[in-house]
Amino acid sequence: MAINDVDKYVATLQKYNTNIKDEEVKAAVEKIIAEKVPENDTPEVKKFLLGSVELTSLRTTDNEENILAMVEKVNRFDKEYPELPHVATICTYPNFAKLVSESLEVDGVQVVNVSGSFPSSQTFIEVKVAEASLAVKDGATEIDIVMPVGKYLSGDYEGVADEIGEQKQACGECPMKVILETGCLPSMSDVKKASIIAMYAGADYIKTSTGKEKVSATPEAAYVMCQAIKEYYDQTGIQIGLKPAGGINTVRDAVTYYTIVKEVLGEKWLTNKWFRMGTSRLTNLLLSEILGKETKFF
């Protein structure tokens, strides 16, 4: 790597406050949860959160039958609960893009595909680019890729940025989310650095996790990612979205992420375009609380 390339990424990171301490982040998040979460535990917020869900199926056992069944539930929900917001997206592996795009009847629901050798990001860049291109060709309207975590951990920031940039080019007009796999990053300072590199390289959203590692989304990681998004917006004027994913198991978890976004980024990010949650189990839990009775629709 040429010395000027190293300097470029070091210089970029120096524009931001990456000297953050894990214990300070933990204390700040605990304060937000204690003081602000209760006021957001409302029916209106829960309805908003339902409309921010990326309804997801990323199982080894997925097949056309179960993916089609998921799409049909989204179609049916829109008819049966017209007063409630529909989910933001349906997220699957790329081989189901055509099926989802052709069977989805609800306007405004995006077709999301994980790509780039999800969840490990361990293959040739040519394969990653081809996968994104094929997904878009088959009807994907958003693409989620995984940052090459191994390259980041070895300090190869140029390699990380180049891979993200090439995949962004393959996505064309489709928004691209970059999964940082925050549970594999050693510190909150690394979460901040990875966020900045991903955004500079072309991410339209940054996303916490694949959900395939032992540690998935955490409020602390989301808090630091929101700080990075805010600083990037202040410097560039470019708005980047946030997607916590993996391990969002309760309605309180979802309200916590909403609250962090509200406190750090503000109202401009509280739309189902800029704030998403990657989950499936949460959908029925939110629906049950909104309707006031146990509901297993999805």
Coordinates of all heavy atoms in Angstrom, one line a residue, residues 101-175:
S101 N -39.8 -9.9 -5.6 CA -40.2 -8.8 -6.3 C -41.4 -9.0 -7.2 O -42.2 -8.1 -7.4 CB -39.0 -8.3 -7.2 OG -38.7 -9.2 -8.2
E102 N -41.6 -10.2 -7.7 CA -42.7 -10.5 -8.5 C -44.0 -10.9 -7.8 O -45.1 -10.7 -8.3 CB -42.4 -11.7 -9.5 CG -41.4 -11.3 -10.5 CD -41.0 -12.5 -11.5 OE1 -41.5 -13.6 -11.2 OE2 -40.3 -12.2 -12.5
S103 N -43.9 -11.3 -6.5 CA -45.0 -11.7 -5.7 C -45.5 -10.6 -4.7 O -46.6 -10.7 -4.2 CB -44.8 -13.0 -5.0 OG -43.6 -12.9 -4.2
L104 N -44.6 -9.6 -4.5 CA -45.0 -8.5 -3.5 C -46.0 -7.6 -4.1 O -45.7 -7.0 -5.2 CB -43.7 -7.8 -3.1 CG -43.8 -6.7 -2.1 CD1 -44.4 -7.2 -0.8 CD2 -42.4 -6.0 -1.9
E105 N -47.1 -7.3 -3.4 CA -48.1 -6.5 -4.0 C -48.2 -5.1 -3.3 O -49.0 -4.3 -3.7 CB -49.5 -7.2 -3.9 CG -49.5 -8.5 -4.7 CD -50.7 -9.4 -4.3 OE1 -51.5 -8.9 -3.5 OE2 -50.9 -10.4 -4.9
V106 N -47.5 -4.9 -2.2 CA -47.6 -3.7 -1.4 C -46.7 -2.6 -1.8 O -45.4 -2.8 -1.8 CB -47.4 -4.1 0.1 CG1 -47.7 -2.8 1.0 CG2 -48.3 -5.2 0.5
D107 N -47.2 -1.5 -2.2 CA -46.3 -0.4 -2.6 C -45.6 0.1 -1.3 O -46.1 0.2 -0.2 CB -47.2 0.8 -3.1 CG -47.8 0.5 -4.5 OD1 -47.2 -0.4 -5.2 OD2 -48.8 1.1 -4.8
G108 N -44.3 0.5 -1.6 CA -43.5 1.0 -0.5 C -42.7 0.0 0.3 O -41.9 0.4 1.2
V109 N -42.9 -1.3 0.1 CA -42.1 -2.3 0.8 C -40.9 -2.6 -0.1 O -41.1 -3.0 -1.3 CB -42.9 -3.6 1.1 CG1 -42.0 -4.6 1.7 CG2 -44.1 -3.3 2.0
Q110 N -39.7 -2.4 0.4 CA -38.5 -2.6 -0.4 C -38.1 -4.1 -0.4 O -38.4 -4.8 0.5 CB -37.4 -1.8 0.2 CG -37.6 -0.3 0.2 CD -37.9 0.3 -1.1 OE1 -37.3 0.0 -2.1 NE2 -38.9 1.2 -1.2
V111 N -37.4 -4.5 -1.5 CA -36.9 -5.8 -1.6 C -35.4 -5.8 -1.3 O -34.6 -5.3 -2.1 CB -37.2 -6.4 -3.0 CG1 -36.6 -7.8 -3.2 CG2 -38.7 -6.3 -3.4
V112 N -35.1 -6.3 -0.1 CA -33.7 -6.2 0.3 C -33.0 -7.6 0.2 O -33.6 -8.6 0.5 CB -33.6 -5.8 1.8 CG1 -32.2 -5.8 2.3 CG2 -34.2 -4.4 2.0
N113 N -31.8 -7.6 -0.3 CA -31.0 -8.8 -0.4 C -29.7 -8.6 0.4 O -29.0 -7.6 0.2 CB -30.7 -9.2 -1.8 CG -31.8 -9.8 -2.6 OD1 -31.8 -10.0 -3.8 ND2 -32.9 -10.2 -1.9
V114 N -29.3 -9.7 1.1 CA -27.9 -9.7 1.7 C -27.0 -10.2 0.6 O -27.4 -11.0 -0.2 CB -27.8 -10.5 2.9 CG1 -28.7 -10.0 4.1 CG2 -28.2 -12.0 2.7
S115 N -25.8 -9.6 0.5 CA -24.9 -9.9 -0.6 C -23.5 -9.8 -0.1 O -23.2 -9.7 1.1 CB -25.2 -8.9 -1.7 OG -24.4 -9.2 -2.9
G116 N -22.6 -9.9 -1.0 CA -21.2 -9.8 -0.7 C -20.6 -11.0 0.2 O -19.9 -10.8 1.1
S117 N -21.1 -12.2 -0.1 CA -20.7 -13.4 0.6 C -21.1 -13.3 2.1 O -20.3 -13.5 3.0 CB -19.2 -13.6 0.6 OG -18.9 -14.9 1.1
F118 N -22.4 -12.9 2.3 CA -23.0 -12.8 3.6 C -23.0 -14.2 4.3 O -23.3 -15.2 3.6 CB -24.4 -12.3 3.5 CG -25.2 -12.3 4.8 CD1 -25.3 -11.1 5.5 CD2 -25.9 -13.4 5.3 CE1 -26.0 -11.0 6.6 CE2 -26.6 -13.3 6.5 CZ -26.7 -12.1 7.1
P119 N -22.7 -14.4 5.5 CA -22.3 -13.3 6.5 C -20.8 -13.1 6.7 O -20.5 -12.2 7.5 CB -23.0 -13.9 7.8 CG -22.8 -15.4 7.7 CD -22.9 -15.7 6.2
S120 N -20.0 -13.8 6.1 CA -18.5 -13.8 6.4 C -17.8 -12.7 5.6 O -16.7 -12.3 6.1 CB -17.9 -15.1 6.2 OG -17.8 -15.4 4.8
S121 N -18.3 -12.4 4.5 CA -17.6 -11.5 3.5 C -16.2 -12.1 3.1 O -15.3 -11.3 2.7 CB -17.3 -10.1 4.2 OG -16.9 -9.2 3.2
Q122 N -16.1 -13.4 3.1 CA -14.9 -14.0 2.8 C -15.0 -14.7 1.4 O -15.3 -15.9 1.3 CB -14.5 -15.1 3.9 CG -14.2 -14.5 5.2 CD -12.9 -13.7 5.3 OE1 -12.3 -13.4 4.3 NE2 -12.5 -13.4 6.5
T123 N -14.8 -14.0 0.4 CA -14.6 -14.5 -1.0 C -14.0 -13.5 -1.8 O -13.6 -12.4 -1.4 CB -16.0 -15.0 -1.5 OG1 -15.7 -15.8 -2.7 CG2 -16.9 -13.8 -1.9
F124 N -13.8 -13.8 -3.1 CA -13.2 -12.9 -4.1 C -14.1 -11.7 -4.3 O -15.3 -11.8 -4.4 CB -13.0 -13.6 -5.4 CG -12.1 -14.8 -5.2 CD1 -12.8 -16.1 -5.3 CD2 -10.8 -14.8 -5.1 CE1 -12.0 -17.2 -5.1 CE2 -10.0 -15.9 -4.9 CZ -10.7 -17.2 -5.0
I125 N -13.5 -10.5 -4.4 CA -14.3 -9.3 -4.7 C -15.1 -9.4 -6.0 O -16.2 -8.9 -6.0 CB -13.4 -8.0 -4.7 CG1 -14.2 -6.8 -4.9 CG2 -12.3 -8.1 -5.8 CD1 -15.2 -6.5 -3.8
E126 N -14.6 -10.2 -6.9 CA -15.4 -10.4 -8.2 C -16.7 -11.1 -7.9 O -17.7 -10.8 -8.5 CB -14.5 -11.2 -9.2 CG -13.3 -10.4 -9.7 CD -12.1 -10.6 -8.8 OE1 -12.2 -11.2 -7.7 OE2 -11.0 -10.1 -9.2
V127 N -16.6 -12.0 -7.0 CA -17.9 -12.8 -6.6 C -18.8 -11.9 -5.9 O -20.1 -11.9 -6.2 CB -17.5 -14.0 -5.7 CG1 -18.8 -14.7 -5.2 CG2 -16.6 -15.0 -6.5
K128 N -18.3 -11.0 -5.0 CA -19.2 -10.1 -4.3 C -19.9 -9.1 -5.3 O -21.1 -8.9 -5.2 CB -18.4 -9.3 -3.3 CG -17.8 -10.2 -2.2 CD -16.9 -9.3 -1.2 CE -16.3 -10.2 -0.2 NZ -15.5 -9.4 0.8
V129 N -19.1 -8.6 -6.2 CA -19.7 -7.7 -7.2 C -20.7 -8.3 -8.0 O -21.8 -7.8 -8.3 CB -18.5 -7.1 -8.0 CG1 -19.1 -6.3 -9.3 CG2 -17.7 -6.1 -7.2
A130 N -20.4 -9.6 -8.5 CA -21.4 -10.3 -9.3 C -22.7 -10.6 -8.5 O -23.8 -10.4 -9.1 CB -20.8 -11.6 -9.8
E131 N -22.5 -10.9 -7.3 CA -23.7 -11.2 -6.5 C -24.6 -10.0 -6.3 O -25.9 -10.1 -6.5 CB -23.3 -11.7 -5.1 CG -24.5 -12.3 -4.3 CD -24.0 -13.0 -3.0 OE1 -23.0 -12.6 -2.4 OE2 -24.7 -13.9 -2.6
A132 N -24.1 -8.9 -6.1 CA -24.8 -7.6 -6.0 C -25.5 -7.3 -7.3 O -26.7 -6.9 -7.3 CB -24.0 -6.5 -5.5
S133 N -24.7 -7.4 -8.4 CA -25.3 -7.1 -9.7 C -26.5 -8.0 -10.1 O -27.5 -7.5 -10.6 CB -24.2 -7.2 -10.8 OG -23.1 -6.4 -10.5
L134 N -26.3 -9.3 -9.8 CA -27.4 -10.2 -10.1 C -28.6 -10.0 -9.3 O -29.8 -10.1 -9.7 CB -26.9 -11.7 -9.9 CG -25.9 -12.2 -10.9 CD1 -25.2 -13.4 -10.5 CD2 -26.5 -12.4 -12.3
A135 N -28.4 -9.6 -8.0 CA -29.6 -9.4 -7.1 C -30.4 -8.1 -7.6 O -31.6 -8.2 -7.7 CB -29.1 -9.1 -5.7
V136 N -29.6 -7.1 -8.0 CA -30.3 -5.9 -8.5 C -31.0 -6.2 -9.8 O -32.2 -5.8 -10.0 CB -29.3 -4.8 -8.7 CG1 -29.9 -3.6 -9.5 CG2 -28.7 -4.3 -7.4
K137 N -30.4 -7.0 -10.7 CA -31.0 -7.4 -11.9 C -32.3 -8.2 -11.7 O -33.3 -8.0 -12.5 CB -30.0 -8.3 -12.7 CG -30.5 -8.8 -14.1 CD -29.4 -9.5 -14.8 CE -29.9 -10.3 -16.0 NZ -30.7 -11.5 -15.7
D138 N -32.3 -9.0 -10.6 CA -33.5 -9.8 -10.3 C -34.6 -9.0 -9.6 O -35.6 -9.6 -9.2 CB -33.1 -11.0 -9.6 CG -32.7 -12.2 -10.5 OD1 -32.8 -12.0 -11.7 OD2 -32.4 -13.3 -10.0
G139 N -34.4 -7.8 -9.2 CA -35.4 -7.0 -8.6 C -35.1 -6.5 -7.2 O -36.0 -5.8 -6.6
A140 N -34.0 -6.7 -6.7 CA -33.6 -6.1 -5.3 C -33.6 -4.6 -5.5 O -33.1 -4.1 -6.4 CB -32.3 -6.6 -4.9
T141 N -34.2 -4.0 -4.4 CA -34.2 -2.5 -4.4 C -33.3 -1.9 -3.4 O -33.0 -0.7 -3.3 CB -35.6 -2.0 -4.2 OG1 -36.1 -2.5 -3.0 CG2 -36.5 -2.4 -5.3
E142 N -32.7 -2.8 -2.5 CA -31.7 -2.4 -1.5 C -30.8 -3.6 -1.3 O -31.2 -4.8 -1.4 CB -32.3 -2.0 -0.2 CG -33.1 -0.7 -0.2 CD -33.7 -0.3 1.1 OE1 -33.3 -1.0 2.1 OE2 -34.5 0.6 1.2
I143 N -29.5 -3.3 -1.1 CA -28.5 -4.4 -0.9 C -27.8 -4.2 0.4 O -27.4 -3.1 0.7 CB -27.5 -4.4 -2.1 CG1 -28.1 -4.7 -3.4 CG2 -26.3 -5.4 -1.8 CD1 -28.6 -6.1 -3.6
D144 N -27.7 -5.3 1.2 CA -26.9 -5.3 2.4 C -25.6 -6.1 2.2 O -25.7 -7.3 1.9 CB -27.7 -5.9 3.6 CG -28.9 -5.1 4.0 OD1 -29.3 -4.2 3.3 OD2 -29.4 -5.4 5.1
I145 N -24.5 -5.5 2.5 CA -23.2 -6.2 2.4 C -22.5 -6.2 3.7 O -22.9 -5.5 4.6 CB -22.3 -5.6 1.3 CG1 -21.8 -4.2 1.8 CG2 -23.0 -5.5 -0.1 CD1 -20.6 -3.7 1.0
V146 N -21.5 -7.0 3.8 CA -20.7 -7.1 5.1 C -19.3 -6.5 4.9 O -18.7 -6.9 3.9 CB -20.6 -8.6 5.5 CG1 -19.9 -8.7 6.9 CG2 -21.9 -9.3 5.6
M147 N -19.0 -5.6 5.7 CA -17.6 -5.1 5.7 C -16.6 -6.2 5.8 O -16.8 -7.1 6.6 CB -17.4 -4.1 6.9 CG -16.0 -3.5 7.0 SD -15.9 -2.4 8.4 CE -15.6 -3.7 9.7
P148 N -15.5 -6.2 5.1 CA -14.5 -7.2 5.2 C -13.8 -7.0 6.6 O -12.8 -6.3 6.7 CB -13.5 -7.1 4.0 CG -13.8 -5.6 3.6 CD -15.2 -5.3 4.0
V149 N -14.3 -7.7 7.6 CA -13.9 -7.4 9.0 C -12.4 -7.8 9.2 O -11.6 -7.1 9.9 CB -14.8 -8.2 10.0 CG1 -14.3 -7.9 11.4 CG2 -16.2 -7.7 9.9
G150 N -12.0 -8.9 8.6 CA -10.6 -9.3 8.7 C -9.6 -8.2 8.2 O -8.6 -8.0 8.8
K151 N -10.0 -7.6 7.0 CA -9.2 -6.5 6.5 C -9.1 -5.4 7.5 O -8.1 -4.8 7.7 CB -9.7 -6.1 5.1 CG -9.3 -7.0 4.0 CD -9.7 -6.3 2.6 CE -9.0 -7.0 1.4 NZ -9.6 -8.3 1.2
Y152 N -10.3 -5.0 8.0 CA -10.3 -3.9 9.0 C -9.4 -4.2 10.2 O -8.6 -3.4 10.6 CB -11.7 -3.6 9.5 CG -11.7 -2.6 10.6 CD1 -11.7 -1.2 10.3 CD2 -11.6 -3.0 11.9 CE1 -11.6 -0.3 11.3 CE2 -11.5 -2.0 12.9 CZ -11.5 -0.7 12.6 OH -11.4 0.2 13.6
L153 N -9.5 -5.4 10.7 CA -8.7 -5.8 11.9 C -7.2 -5.8 11.7 O -6.4 -5.6 12.6 CB -9.2 -7.1 12.5 CG -10.6 -7.2 13.0 CD1 -11.0 -8.6 13.4 CD2 -10.8 -6.3 14.2
S154 N -6.8 -6.0 10.4 CA -5.4 -6.0 10.1 C -4.9 -4.6 9.7 O -3.7 -4.5 9.4 CB -5.1 -7.0 8.9 OG -5.7 -6.6 7.7
G155 N -5.8 -3.7 9.8 CA -5.4 -2.3 9.5 C -5.4 -1.9 8.0 O -5.0 -0.8 7.7
D156 N -6.0 -2.8 7.2 CA -6.0 -2.5 5.8 C -7.3 -1.7 5.4 O -8.2 -2.1 4.8 CB -6.0 -3.8 5.0 CG -6.0 -3.6 3.5 OD1 -5.9 -2.5 3.0 OD2 -6.2 -4.6 2.8
Y157 N -7.3 -0.4 5.8 CA -8.4 0.4 5.6 C -8.7 0.7 4.1 O -9.8 0.8 3.7 CB -8.3 1.8 6.4 CG -8.1 1.7 7.9 CD1 -7.5 2.6 8.6 CD2 -8.6 0.5 8.6 CE1 -7.3 2.5 10.0 CE2 -8.4 0.4 9.9 CZ -7.8 1.4 10.6 OH -7.7 1.3 12.0
E158 N -7.6 0.8 3.4 CA -7.8 1.0 1.9 C -8.5 -0.2 1.3 O -9.4 0.0 0.5 CB -6.4 1.1 1.3 CG -6.5 1.4 -0.2 CD -5.2 1.4 -0.9 OE1 -4.2 0.7 -0.4 OE2 -5.1 2.1 -2.0
G159 N -8.1 -1.4 1.7 CA -8.8 -2.6 1.2 C -10.3 -2.7 1.6 O -11.1 -3.0 0.8
V160 N -10.6 -2.3 2.8 CA -12.0 -2.2 3.3 C -12.8 -1.2 2.4 O -13.8 -1.5 1.9 CB -12.0 -1.7 4.7 CG1 -13.5 -1.5 5.2 CG2 -11.4 -2.8 5.7
A161 N -12.2 0.0 2.2 CA -12.9 1.0 1.5 C -13.0 0.6 0.0 O -14.1 0.9 -0.6 CB -12.2 2.3 1.6
D162 N -12.0 0.0 -0.6 CA -12.1 -0.4 -2.0 C -13.2 -1.4 -2.2 O -13.9 -1.3 -3.2 CB -10.7 -0.9 -2.5 CG -9.7 0.2 -2.7 OD1 -10.1 1.4 -2.6 OD2 -8.5 -0.2 -2.9
E163 N -13.3 -2.4 -1.3 CA -14.3 -3.4 -1.5 C -15.7 -2.8 -1.4 O -16.6 -3.2 -2.2 CB -14.1 -4.5 -0.5 CG -13.0 -5.5 -0.8 CD -13.2 -6.9 -0.2 OE1 -14.3 -7.2 0.3 OE2 -12.3 -7.7 -0.3
I164 N -15.9 -2.0 -0.4 CA -17.2 -1.3 -0.2 C -17.5 -0.5 -1.5 O -18.6 -0.6 -2.0 CB -17.2 -0.5 1.0 CG1 -17.1 -1.4 2.3 CG2 -18.5 0.4 1.1 CD1 -16.9 -0.6 3.6
G165 N -16.6 0.3 -2.0 CA -16.8 1.1 -3.1 C -17.1 0.3 -4.4 O -18.0 0.7 -5.2
E166 N -16.4 -0.8 -4.6 CA -16.7 -1.6 -5.8 C -18.1 -2.2 -5.7 O -18.8 -2.2 -6.7 CB -15.7 -2.7 -5.9 CG -14.3 -2.2 -6.4 CD -13.4 -3.4 -6.9 OE1 -13.9 -4.2 -7.7 OE2 -12.3 -3.4 -6.4
Q167 N -18.6 -2.6 -4.5 CA -19.9 -3.2 -4.4 C -21.0 -2.1 -4.6 O -22.0 -2.3 -5.1 CB -20.0 -3.9 -3.1 CG -19.2 -5.2 -3.1 CD -19.2 -5.9 -1.8 OE1 -20.1 -6.7 -1.5 NE2 -18.2 -5.6 -1.0
K168 N -20.7 -0.9 -4.1 CA -21.6 0.2 -4.2 C -21.8 0.5 -5.7 O -22.9 0.8 -6.2 CB -21.1 1.5 -3.5 CG -21.8 2.7 -3.7 CD -23.3 2.6 -3.3 CE -24.1 3.8 -3.6 NZ -25.5 3.6 -3.5
Q169 N -20.7 0.5 -6.5 CA -20.8 0.7 -7.9 C -21.7 -0.3 -8.6 O -22.5 0.0 -9.4 CB -19.4 0.6 -8.5 CG -19.2 1.4 -9.8 CD -17.8 1.6 -10.2 OE1 -16.9 1.0 -9.6 NE2 -17.6 2.2 -11.3
A170 N -21.6 -1.6 -8.1 CA -22.4 -2.7 -8.6 C -23.9 -2.5 -8.3 O -24.8 -3.0 -9.0 CB -21.9 -4.0 -8.1
C171 N -24.2 -1.8 -7.2 CA -25.6 -1.6 -6.8 C -26.3 -0.5 -7.6 O -27.5 -0.5 -7.6 CB -25.6 -1.2 -5.3 SG -25.2 -2.5 -4.1
G172 N -25.5 0.3 -8.3 CA -26.1 1.4 -9.1 C -26.9 2.3 -8.2 O -26.4 2.9 -7.3
E173 N -28.2 2.5 -8.6 CA -29.0 3.4 -7.8 C -29.6 2.8 -6.6 O -30.2 3.5 -5.8 CB -30.2 3.9 -8.7 CG -29.8 4.7 -10.0 CD -29.1 5.9 -9.6 OE1 -29.6 6.7 -8.8 OE2 -28.0 6.2 -10.1
C174 N -29.4 1.5 -6.4 CA -29.9 0.9 -5.2 C -29.2 1.3 -3.9 O -27.9 1.2 -3.9 CB -29.8 -0.7 -5.3 SG -31.1 -1.4 -6.3
P175 N -29.8 1.7 -2.9 CA -29.2 2.0 -1.6 C -28.4 0.8 -1.1 O -28.9 -0.4 -1.3 CB -30.3 2.4 -0.7 CG -31.4 2.9 -1.6 CD -31.3 2.0 -2.8

